[in-house]
Amino acid sequence: MSDLRNRPAPELTEADRLRLGRTVQVPGTTGVLGIIVAVAAVAWSWAGSGFSIERFIEGVPRMGDFLSRTWPPDFTDLDVIVRLLIETLQMAIIGTLVGALLSLLVSFGATSTIAPRWLYYPCRFVLNVLRSIPDLIFALMFVSAVGLGPFAGILAIILGSLGSIAKVYAEAMEAVDTGPIDALRSTGATGRQVIAYGVLPQASPLLVSYTLLLFEGNVRGATILGLVGAGGIGMELTTAMRLYDYGHMLAIIISIVVLVTVIDRLSATIRKRVR
């Protein structure tokens, strides 16, 4: 380290000084092609998706009218809202816990640095399939299989969590320093010992952080699973909208916002401690 500190800095050429002194760097050929492709993609998406600023401006008064009808919020049935919010939270906790454990198991097979090829590609394919299917489709499938209620919602959250977080776990484990892993392998350590003493100690803070983010997302996701009868407060929200009970609907939305905000603050505090 001392040799590096005493080594003289490399001399810059005049061209390097001019390039570093420019506030705005002129993109090269690759950069220009990238900009052209990006602009073309935005124009293509703009035209194909029907995005229209004029229609948005025309709709602003109607949005204002809709929002005015939701005020004031009606907390008359606060006990019902609290009970369903607790059910939603319980669904998210169980779904996240089981989903995270299954995701951790599958992520070992989806990590290129520790899994053999014959296991790596099938695991990645399964995760891609699970990630391609929306949680509401899982909820509909489980409602038809086990009936209405929070159990179907929990099963949907588990599969949704597996599809979304196992790949993130795997990438977190692929990003760890390979030095300790190589050192363990050179001593004849087994695959399980490499994971236990080389991979997990380094990846644990990221895994905990991602799990907390997954939990926050699952709380929000669990609120809409009730739209298809999979438990939680979504069914109450849908009923309020269908009955034009906008005051009750706004009370539900405010309660969801409070719950998500509290969970977000708690998760942020925990993430700071584990870093």
Side-chain angles (χ1 to χ4, degrees):
M1 183 64 76
S2 59
D3 292 339
L4 292 175
R5 283 197 295 267
N6 296 328
R7 186 179 299 172
E11 292 289 337
L12 293 177
T13 63
E14 188 61 26
D16 291 333
R17 289 195 180 91
L18 290 173
R19 179 173 57 83
L20 295 174
R22 294 191 192 105
T23 305
V24 178
Q25 300 291 329
V26 178
T29 305
T30 305
V32 171
L33 287 176
I35 293 173
I36 293 173
V37 171
V39 171
V42 171
W44 174 68
S45 303
W46 188 296
S49 63
F51 183 78
S52 170
I53 295 178
E54 292 180 358
R55 289 177 59 188
F56 173 75
I57 295 175
E58 290 174 359
V60 168
R62 290 192 290 273
M63 287 193 294
D65 177 64
F66 175 80
L67 293 175
S68 67
R69 282 182 284 165
T70 64
W71 191 263
D74 181 7
F75 286 98
T76 305
D77 297 323
L78 182 60
D79 56 332
V80 176
I81 296 174
V82 171
R83 178 174 58 81
L84 291 174
L85 276 180
I86 291 174
E87 182 180 274
T88 303
L89 184 61
Q90 292 168 334
M91 290 168 55
I93 291 174
I94 300 298
T96 303
L97 176 63
V98 179
L101 290 175
L102 292 176
S103 298
L104 187 60
L105 291 176
V106 176
S107 65
F108 293 141
T111 303
S112 60
T113 53
I114 58 177
R117 297 291 99 178
W118 61 266
L119 180 62
Y120 170 76
Y121 289 110
C123 286
R124 285 282 179 163
F125 177 74
V126 170
L127 295 180
N128 288 338
V129 171
L130 291 176
R131 199 166 51 255
S132 304
I133 302 174
D135 288 358
L136 279 179
I137 301 299
F138 285 135
L140 283 171
M141 181 178 70
F142 286 119
V143 163
S144 65
V146 301
L148 299 170
F151 183 51
I154 291 172
L155 295 176
I157 292 173
I158 290 172
L159 275 189
S161 301
L162 183 59
S164 62
I165 205 68
K167 179 174 180 289
V168 180
Y169 282 174
E171 291 180 352
M173 288 190 281
E174 286 175 350
V176 300
D177 184 7
T178 56
I181 299 174
D182 294 337
L184 284 167
R185 283 176 173 157
S186 67
T187 62
T190 63
R192 188 173 61 181
Q193 290 171 327
V194 169
I195 292 172
Y197 301 108
V199 177
L200 287 181
Q202 298 185 73
S204 292
L206 279 177
L207 298 184
V208 173
S209 180
Y210 291 148
T211 303
L212 291 171
L213 289 174
L214 172 69
F215 175 59
E216 295 173 27
N218 282 342
V219 172
R220 290 191 295 271
T223 60
I224 62 171
L225 293 181
L227 297 176
V228 294
I233 201 165
M235 179 63 78
E236 185 72 11
L237 185 62
T238 306
T239 303
M241 293 175 67
R242 287 176 178 170
L243 297 177
Y244 303 102
D245 191 356
Y246 295 126
H248 185 50
M249 182 193 74
L250 183 58
I252 293 172
I253 293 174
I254 291 173
S255 303
I256 293 173
V257 170
V258 171
L259 175 65
V260 171
T261 303
V262 171
I263 291 173
D264 176 70
R265 290 296 85 204
L266 288 175
S267 298
T269 303
I270 296 173
R271 283 200 297 272
K272 284 182 181 176
R273 291 183 179 276
V274 299
R275 282 174 184 168

